[in-house]
Amino acid sequence: MKWQEEGYGSRQQAADTLSDLARRLAEGSLTVEGQEVRVPEDGLEYKIKYSDDQAEGELSFKVTWTQ
């Protein structure tokens, strides 16, 4: 199953959302659409990706692990 959450707002609102996400990830209390996200303590791979062209830009942060 896949869940996602979206938002729209200012750069500061996006930063606040990322700060809250980081806090909940560190605490082990992360949820997405009400679903608990069980992230292991270690063995994580994470990437920050940035792309930009004349039409739009994208910045993403991705965390993956194997079960």
Side-chain angles (χ1 to χ4, degrees):
M1 302 285 299
K2 293 183 181 182
W3 292 273
Q4 67 181 27
E5 291 183 0
E6 298 179 356
Y8 181 83
S10 68
R11 181 174 55 197
Q12 184 60 54
Q13 288 168 315
D16 291 345
T17 299
L18 288 172
S19 292
D20 184 55
L21 172 67
R23 179 187 56 77
R24 291 185 293 144
L25 177 62
E27 292 173 350
S29 63
L30 184 60
T31 60
V32 176
E33 290 188 347
Q35 298 294 316
E36 180 183 2
V37 180
R38 297 179 188 198
V39 181
E41 287 289 325
D42 54 23
L44 305 177
E45 180 179 337
Y46 45 92
K47 297 178 185 179
I48 299 173
K49 181 179 172 183
Y50 169 68
S51 63
D52 188 21
D53 61 33
Q54 291 181 347
E56 66 181 6
E58 181 178 349
L59 176 65
S60 60
F61 179 69
K62 179 178 183 179
V63 179
T64 59
W65 62 89
T66 57
Q67 305 257 345

